[in-house]
Amino acid sequence: MPYQAPVSEFRYILDHVVGMDQVAATERFAEATPETVEAILTEAGRLCQDVIAPLNRNGDLDPARLENGVVRTSKGFADGYKAIAEGGWVGISAPAEFGGMGLPHTLTTVFNDMISAACLSLGLNPLLTQGQIEALEAHAPDWMKQMYLPRLISGEWTGTMNLTEPQAGSDVGALRSKAEPNGDGSYAVTGQKIYISWGDHDFGGNVCHLVLARLPDGAPGTRGISLFMVPKYLPNEDGSLGEANTLKVVSLEHKLGLHGSPTCVMQFDGAKGWLVGEAHKGMAAMFTMMNNARLGVGVQGIGAADGAYQHALAYALDRKQGKTPVEGTGTIVDHADVRRMLLTMKADLFAARSIALACAVALDMSKATDEADWEARAALLTPIAKAFGTETGMRAAETGVQVHGGMGVIEETGAAQYSRDVRVTAIYEGTNGIQAMDLVARKMADGGEAAQALIDEMQAVAEEARARNGDLGDPVWQATESLREATEWLVAQKDLNVRFAGAVPFLSAFARVLGGHYHLKAAMEEAEDGPRTKLARFYINRLLPEHVGLLAQSMVGSTDLYALRPEEMYA
Ligand SMILES: Cc1cc2nc3c(=O)[nH]c(=O)nc-3n(C[C@H](O)[C@H](O)[C@H](O)COP(=O)(O)OP(=O)(O)OC[C@H]3O[C@@H](n4cnc5c(N)ncnc54)[C@H](O)[C@@H]3O)c2cc1C
């Protein structure tokens, strides 16, 4: 079934669940009027639905390939990319002074959701460029901003991020790439980077690599790393493309999925580059890009969940099998278990999407107001949005295969592609395990203050709902109370490894409770027993209770994990 952009769903969440009106009320984002938001949603939806989604199968069947050192992209991708660039979609939230639209990141997040549902592998390209734009805006010297930002924002040039090396994956501090000063303000960057998404393509323009490397006087570990802009072509003063830099794509990875996205092994041989931000402070500069990308990757999972859901629903409404226990459509949708699967996909999709959009609203509010509370809220929600968004994508895509029965594993239906494509989202941009550790350590370094403030808000909404609709309000209220107790327990653990041992279930439980909160908000905005109330009831009855087991797991401690010796793990 062709992808249908869920424009009215986004509008509902923005207007009634995550408080987009607060963003539009700020001076910085005054231009995000309801009319502008409507126009962006509609046009982005049209592009993703009509132009990008038809390319999705090409990416899978006709993967990117390396020919004579140059990446050739999947059939139709170059035209699809042109449509993205010409529509100005790379620079929705980029600064207006460099040609961007200057609109809230919340709208970029909606765009990223739709393009991920339409074609995850192509959508990854502008996502990386968006992150690079943010990093340059925050850390690049003026001349670099003038040269690179207008061209990245217009989509004429694209951006990549080069962190990973064979011995330096999650442990970025172990990297060995080097940068030597050339004596003229530039640097010679040497090293090999692996898994570099969109490290090259045939869309034209320049490929701008942000590369982490160590200066000769850089200390070992993350504190001695610097960030460099290393373009594929050295730009002339007027921005035209000059000579080729001394870097190349050595090979492309053969992957489980996401075949349309070229994943490159890059070799830099004394390639000319320029420092971005201060020497030895590269990790801080790269974090600007990574935080943006973490939310963006969570949203990739959510988009994939939507694509998989739409596919599965269409199939289920068509497939007839067996006598159904209720009068209905006469298709497998009338079977209780198929209902369970489809509603789980839909309810989780709503929960994950609301969490991601609430995170984007917090990011926008922190930019617009400079208030520390908003910054802390965005920081707290980022790992949850990343991990829960991608988990939702994986689970929904898996369930989508199951809804299709045998046809789920037959590639022609396209159901399996969602499952293969989305798998890596739980791994790149910091694995979901690393996200959970970030949540219980760095994001709780305030003694749990930001988490408790959010729990207070959830509890206030549940309290209000209790009076009106006890069967929904009571369980959410109880869940927030259990989450509060577990948060207090975690914060009290001084041994960080005890926190880490429970980090993943804690993050999942936090997301489960947040999902209950947003479902409740959506239900409270409509007349009783409308479709949102029915979906909220499903979520609260069947999915929210998972938080009990998850919170119990998060407080077990670490002793049992180390009880079995490695040699005993073989037996
Ligand atoms: C398709 C694809 C595209 C990618 N694109 C890019 C890109 O554009 N740019 C780029 O720089 N990188 C990219 N990556 C790399 C990606 O970010 C890394 O794969 C990821 O960070 C994990 O590193 P690793 O693969 O070395 O796994 P490892 O770090 O070896 O991790 C293996 C396992 O150990 C766990 N682990 C590791 N350290 C810890 C710890 N301290 N505590 C607890 N658990 C831990 C992990 O969670 C994981 O489960 C891409 C990867 C893929 C597969």
Side-chain angles (χ1 to χ4, degrees), residues 236-291:
N236 298 314
E237 263 181 31
D238 63 358
S240 58
L241 299 183
E243 64 181 278
N245 210 345
T246 47
L247 59 91
K248 63 181 182 216
V249 180
V250 179
S251 61
L252 296 191
E253 303 294 355
H254 300 281
K255 308 193 293 291
L256 170 73
L258 212 67
H259 295 146
S261 164
T263 306
C264 305
V265 175
M266 301 292 308
Q267 182 68 39
F268 296 87
D269 292 314
K272 197 166 192 170
W274 292 269
L275 194 59
V276 178
E278 287 177 49
H280 315 312
K281 300 264 174 72
M283 278 310 287
M286 194 54 125
F287 252 107
T288 309
M289 184 164 184
M290 277 158 54
N291 269 335

Side-chain angles (χ1 to χ4, degrees), residues 51-187:
V51 181
I52 307 299
L55 304 173
N56 199 32
R57 290 296 286 151
N58 294 2
D60 203 39
L61 299 172
D62 171 28
R65 58 198 187 281
L66 190 63
E67 278 177 13
N68 302 321
V70 179
V71 170
R72 303 284 171 213
T73 55
S74 306
K75 191 163 157 250
F77 271 35
D79 288 339
Y81 179 75
K82 199 164 165 234
I84 295 167
E86 285 179 357
W89 298 108
V90 181
I92 301 171
S93 306
E97 62 170 309
F98 295 109
M101 295 191 214
L103 289 169
H105 193 72
T106 306
L107 295 180
T108 296
T109 302
V110 171
F111 174 74
N112 289 342
D113 183 327
M114 291 200 246
I115 200 167
S116 301
C119 182
L120 201 63
S121 54
L122 179 57
L124 178 55
N125 182 313
L127 181 67
L128 287 157
T129 307
Q130 286 162 13
Q132 184 166 119
I133 291 167
E134 281 224 351
L136 295 185
E137 195 192 339
H139 304 285
D142 270 353
W143 71 265
M144 195 185 286
K145 288 184 186 170
Q146 301 296 338
M147 172 64 74
Y148 287 84
L149 282 178
R151 295 172 178 89
L152 290 166
I153 290 169
S154 69
E156 185 187 345
W157 295 359
T158 61
T160 71
M161 53 196 289
N162 286 245
L163 288 80
T164 309
E165 299 179 11
Q167 76 296 344
S170 302
D171 182 11
V172 181
L175 66 77
R176 293 190 191 131
S177 290
K178 288 187 163 33
E180 303 268 352
N182 286 328
D184 60 357
S186 71
Y187 294 82

Side-chain angles (χ1 to χ4, degrees), residues 128 161-164 169-171 194-197 255 263 424 427-431 433-434 437:
L128 287 157
M161 53 196 289
N162 286 245
L163 288 80
T164 309
S170 302
D171 182 11
I194 60 168
Y195 300 143
I196 304 309
S197 297
K255 308 193 293 291
T263 306
V424 70
I427 294 170
Y428 61 28
E429 260 333 297
T431 63
I434 300 280
M437 289 162 67

